[in-house]
Amino acid sequence: MATVSRVVNNNPNVKPQTRKKVFEAIERLGYRPNAVARGLASKKTTTVGVVIPDISNAIFAEVARGVEDIANMYHYNIILCNADKRKEKEIRVINTLLEKQVDGLLFMGGNVTDEHIQAFKTSSVPIVLCGTTVDGDLLPAVDIDHEKAAQDAVKLLIDKGHRSIGMISGTLQDPNNGFARYNGYKKALEEAGIPFNEELVRVGNYRYESGIEAMRYFLGLEARPTAIFSATDEMAIGAIHAAQDGGLHVPEDISIISVDNSRMASMVRPLLSTVAQPMYDIGAVSMRLLTKLMNKENVDKGKITLMHEVIQRQSVAEV
C-alpha cells in the first residue's frame, strides 16, 4: 500500500521497475485514488465551491472561465452551483458546499444579505466575493466600480449633446448592477446640471424582455428621451429591437449605451456601445486571491477593484 501511495503521489523514491509494475496494475484494475480518503488524511480536498447566480447568462459564464483556468493552474477542481438569483437557493448551496468540505468558496454576483453573512460566518475556509462587494472589510472581494462605470457611460451621452436621457435600471435591491449603476446615472446628470426626472427611469430584471418593455414605455412618452442608458447589454439589446420595431433608427433617432460588453454587444446591429467589464479577469483574480488565502499567503489587499473601459461603437450619435 505504501509503495502504491508513493507512485500515485509522484514520490521520487520508487525504483523505475517498481513504478512500471504499479502503473500496469493500476491500468489493469481501473484503479482510481480515493479523493475522500486522501482529503481526510491531508485535511484538504483540493476543491473550490463556486456559487453562480445565473448559469445561462454569458457574463457569468466568462467569469467562471477565468475561475476555472486559474483553478487548473493551481491544481484545484471546482464545483459550480447555479443559484437562479434566489437568495434561499444561494444560502442552501453555500451550506451544501461547506458541508462537502471544500477548501474555499467563491460567491459570484448577487446581493450579499445578512443571511449570506451569517452563512459565511460558519465557514472555516476562506471565502472571496467575485463580481460583488459588501460594505467594510468583512470579506475579500474582486469587482469593478459599478457606479463610476455607469457615470462614464452616461457622461458619453452627455458629451454627445444629449440632455434627455432615460435609464433602464436593474433592481435597486441589487447593490452593484442595480443601485450602484442607478447612482452613477444620477451623479452624471447632476454633474452636468441636468435635473433628475424619475419618469425617465424604468426598473428591469436584466433580461431581454424587460428591455423591450422599458423602451415601449419610453416611446409612449409625450417627450421621448433622445438617449437611453441600460444597466446591462441584454436589456439594451431588447431596447434596440423595440425601438426598431417602433419604426425608429438607432442611433439616428435614439442613442443607446449599456454596461457589460458581453459577446452580444458585438452581434447586434447597430453594434452596441457599452462599458467593458473585465469579466474573465474578475474570475481569474478572484480565484488567485482565494488560492493565496487557502495557502495562508500574505495578501496586500482584501478588496481589489479592476478597471473598466468605455467602448464606443455604433449605437450612440450626437444630437
Side-chain angles (χ1 to χ4, degrees), residues 98 114-124 127 138-139:
L98 293 176
D114 291 339
E115 290 92 332
H116 289 91
I117 298 297
Q118 193 59 41
F120 292 150
K121 281 182 178 178
T122 66
S123 171
S124 59
I127 294 171
L138 193 60
L139 288 167

Side-chain angles (χ1 to χ4, degrees), residues 199-228:
E199 287 189 358
L200 292 181
V201 176
R202 301 300 285 176
V203 175
N205 63 0
Y206 307 110
R207 293 296 193 180
Y208 172 82
E209 292 78 12
S210 66
I212 291 176
E213 291 173 13
M215 180 57 84
R216 286 174 179 167
Y217 163 81
F218 290 128
L219 297 182
L221 293 177
E222 189 174 336
R224 188 184 73 221
T226 64
I228 301 294

Side-chain angles (χ1 to χ4, degrees), residues 149-150 152-153 257-261 273-277 308-311:
D152 289 347
I257 193 170
S258 63
V259 179
D260 278 342
N261 195 38
S273 296
T274 185
V275 179
Q277 295 190 76
H308 60 267
E309 179 187 4
V310 179
I311 298 179

Side-chain angles (χ1 to χ4, degrees), residues 22-53:
V22 170
F23 277 129
E24 285 173 353
I26 284 173
E27 186 175 350
R28 186 174 66 254
L29 298 171
Y31 169 77
R32 294 290 184 276
N34 188 325
V36 174
R38 181 182 287 178
L40 289 171
S42 66
K43 300 292 192 296
K44 290 185 178 181
T45 60
T46 63
T47 58
V48 169
V50 180
V51 182
I52 184 169

